[in-house]
Amino acid sequence: MVDDWVAHTPKDILAKNFGVNASIFGSVPSPNPYIFNGTVSTHNVTDGPAGTLSGDASFVYRTFQHPAEKVPGGGGEFRKIDSTNFPASKTLATTFVTLQPGGLRELHWHPNAEEWLYFHQGTARATVFIGNGNARTFDFRAGDTAAFPDNSGYVLVYRVTGVEDVS
C-alpha cells in the first residue's frame, strides 16, 4: 500500500513531506506492493508503564502546559496526548495540530485505528488513500469533521489559519 500511496501523491507534496528535491520521486514504483498480513499484537493496553490507576490518579491533562513538537511535514507544531504522557488514556490518543498556511501534516496512517479530524479554524485539503489506486480528496473548513478508515494513508495540506487534528 505504501508505494501505491506514494505513486498517487503529487511529487511536490512528497518532496515537502520528506524535505528533499521532487526529482527524487521520478522513478516511484508501480502500485500493488504485495504487502502481506503481519502478526496481531497480544499486548494488553489496559496496563501501562505507570502501572494500574488508583483513585488518586489524575484524569486531567493540561495540553498547553507541555511543549509542542514540530510537525514532521513542516510548517506547524503538534501536541500528542496518549498513554506515554497521560497514563489515564489507555485506549485513546489525540493530537492537537496547528499548521501555518501552506503547512503540511506529513503522510501517515494508523494501522489499527480510525483517524478523526476536527477543523477548528481555516481551510485545508486532505487526500485519503485506501489502496489499489483508490483515493479521494476532500476540502475542509472550520467546523468540519472527518473520519478516515483504519489502515488508510492520508496527507493534509493547510490552506489558511490553524487546524486541530484529533487522531
Side-chain angles (χ1 to χ4, degrees):
M1 178 171 148
V2 172
D3 64 347
D4 185 31
W5 181 14
V6 170
H8 286 87
T9 302
K11 306 299 183 247
D12 62 322
I13 297 295
L14 291 170
K16 188 171 187 177
N17 182 80
F18 294 107
V20 297
N21 188 294
S23 65
I24 289 175
F25 301 100
S27 59
V28 171
S30 62
N32 301 318
Y34 306 107
I35 295 176
F36 300 101
N37 288 332
T39 304
V40 176
S41 173
T42 58
H43 177 70
N44 181 354
V45 297
T46 60
D47 295 325
T52 304
L53 293 175
S54 69
D56 297 332
S58 174
F59 290 91
V60 175
Y61 182 85
R62 305 283 183 213
T63 305
F64 294 98
Q65 290 180 356
H66 302 277
E69 299 176 50
K70 290 186 178 192
V71 172
E77 63 182 26
F78 72 98
R79 288 175 166 86
K80 177 183 71 175
I81 305 152
D82 64 11
S83 60
T84 64
N85 56 14
F86 184 38
S89 181
K90 298 291 187 190
T91 59
L92 178 69
T94 188
T95 308
F96 189 92
V97 179
T98 302
L99 296 175
Q100 301 302 317
L104 175 74
R105 174 78 161 117
E106 81 281 3
L107 282 77
H108 73 280
W109 68 96
H110 303 276
N112 299 315
E114 292 178 331
E115 175 88 11
W116 283 76
L117 298 101
Y118 171 74
F119 296 86
H120 180 67
Q121 62 184 157
T123 61
R125 173 169 283 171
T127 300
V128 62
F129 301 88
I130 58 173
N132 296 320
N134 296 309
R136 185 155 179 210
T137 299
F138 301 89
D139 288 317
F140 298 99
R141 64 177 186 242
D144 288 345
T145 299
F148 298 149
D150 64 335
N151 213 23
S152 62
Y154 90 96
V155 61
L156 177 74
V157 178
Y158 185 59
R159 300 167 106 183
V160 183
T161 59
V163 60
E164 180 177 341
D165 170 5
V166 180
S167 308

